[in-house]
Each structure stands twice: as structure tokens, then as C-alpha cells.
Amino acid sequence: DGGITQSPKYLFRKEGQNVTLSCEQNLNHDAMYWYRQDPGQGLRLIYYSQIVNDFQKGDIAEGYSVSREKKESFPLTVTSAQKNPTAFYLCASSTIPASSYNEQFFGPGTRLTVL
Amino acid sequence: AQTVTQSQPEMSVQEAETVTLSCTYDTSESDYYLFWYKQPPSRQMILVIRQEAYKQQNATENRFSVNFQKAAKSFSLKISDSQLGDAAMYFCAYRIDSNYQLIWGAGTKLIIKP
């Protein structure tokens, strides 16, 4: 079945540690995205990538880093520079909009908690 | 700035009845796309319905339909014959034609009363 997988489902981090969240898709989508979700707020874009080896900052990129070495994979690293990393993280993918809708498909998310 | 506003943090409806969730947005663009996503307790984000701004006809998907008022910049979601499985957070989102980025509302929590 085609889809997006994220791992782990739950992640605990000590202050000062870097952690990496995994996102893999087998939908053959060119574009991939990372969002952060906090209670009472909409999703906020951290980074997105339209093509391998290229990515752009979103609205809240500070304290995060990404890589896109393969089309299927877009891991997110939460660095110690991120002051308040406890949140729910969602990965998404989409086609490059040759069609108009460019619907984004989402993974199941990772809940990150800083201890 | 492009913004999306969902003015109802929480709504409740009796099972089998109809409920409407509101969404307004602010943009100076003429070509854009609007989406409603559902996030159930599993937290998996699922697309419910979508609308292209240049289409005057309101989109429908089974029990879900929208009331798109372009001049008023309003995009409400109507759920008919509400079912227990409709209980979720509902998010309105907007994307302009030339950009990949979705702008999201804060969400409305929908409660279904049996």
C-alpha cells in the first residue's frame, strides 16, 4: 500500500540532545514537508523540499535541520537550539503541482517530548 | 498577510443532524485553493474536501459539502447526517497557485452526541 510512514511514534529527548525524526514515502511524490502542531494552533511549516538535495525554510525553521538525499526520505533533526521542541510533528508529501490541487498526504505523526 | 480564521474552537451536534463549520481567509490573490482536512483522535490528517477558487460551483463529497463565497472570503463546511465517526478536529487550509505552502486555520473540534 502506498503511503507515508513516520517513526518513532513517540520520542523523548533530554535537554541539549539532538534527535532525528524519520519520514519515508512510497507515493513517488516529489515534494515533502515537515509541520509542527501545537495545541490550539494550526499546522506551521518547518521545512519543505521539492526535489532531491534541495529544501527551503518554512515559517519556523530555527532550531531544525533537514536533508533530502533520496526522493523517498526527508528526515527532520530537532537540534538543541530549538528552545521549545515539545510538539506533534507531521510529515507530508505531494506531487509538484502539474495538477492544480496538489493535495498533501500526511503521515501518522511523531510526538516529541522534552524531559 | 495571508491568514485563515476558524472562529469556532468547538462545535457539537446530535448524531444524524447537520452541522456547519466556518472558515474565513484573507488574501489578495485571485487564484487559489481551499481545503478542509479532518484529524481524528488517531491524529492522522485526512483530506475531506477541496475547492478551486475559480470554480463557482460548490464542491461536494457524499455527506460533506462546502459553501464557498469568494467575495466574502468564506469557505464553510457542511456535514449532513452526522455520524459518530465524524468526531474530529477539522482544519481549513488555503494555498495560492504559485506556492506549495498551505496556510492553516487553528481548527474546530467537532463533537458528535449520540
Side-chain angles (χ1 to χ4, degrees), chain A residues 73-105:
Chain A
S73 178
F74 191 42
L76 173 74
T77 296
V78 184
T79 75
S80 57
Q82 171 49 237
K83 299 305 180 187
N84 184 23
T86 294
F88 187 65
Y89 292 86
L90 283 162
C91 178
S93 71
S94 71
T95 58
I96 299 294
S99 66
S100 55
Y101 282 118
N102 189 33
E103 173 188 346
Q104 292 187 16
F105 294 82

Side-chain angles (χ1 to χ4, degrees), chain A residues 33 35 37 40-43 45 50 59 88 96-97 100-104 106-108, chain B residues 33 35 37 39 42-45 47 50-52 55 91 95 100-102 104-106:
Chain A
Y33 314 79
Y35 291 97
Q37 186 177 24
Q41 297 188 37
L43 277 64
L45 184 66
Q50 301 170 28
D59 297 325
F88 187 65
I96 299 294
S100 55
Y101 282 118
N102 189 33
E103 173 188 346
Q104 292 187 16
F106 286 82
Chain B
Y33 306 92
F35 306 84
Y37 278 86
Q39 189 179 41
S42 68
R43 306 201 75 173
Q44 177 81 49
M45 196 72 78
L47 180 68
R50 55 198 182 188
Q51 174 86 37
E52 292 167 300
K55 289 187 177 179
F91 292 92
R95 180 178 72 81
Y100 300 104
Q101 186 168 344
L102 282 171
W104 295 79

Side-chain angles (χ1 to χ4, degrees), chain B residues 66-108:
Chain B
V66 298
N67 183 4
F68 173 49
Q69 302 289 328
K70 190 172 184 179
K73 298 179 183 176
S74 172
F75 183 60
S76 61
L77 174 69
K78 185 171 83 171
I79 306 173
S80 304
D81 186 26
S82 298
Q83 300 176 2
L84 294 176
D86 295 332
M89 286 290 294
Y90 286 81
F91 292 92
C92 179
Y94 153 95
R95 180 178 72 81
I96 64 174
D97 191 26
S98 59
N99 196 328
Y100 300 104
Q101 186 168 344
L102 282 171
I103 310 299
W104 295 79
T108 296

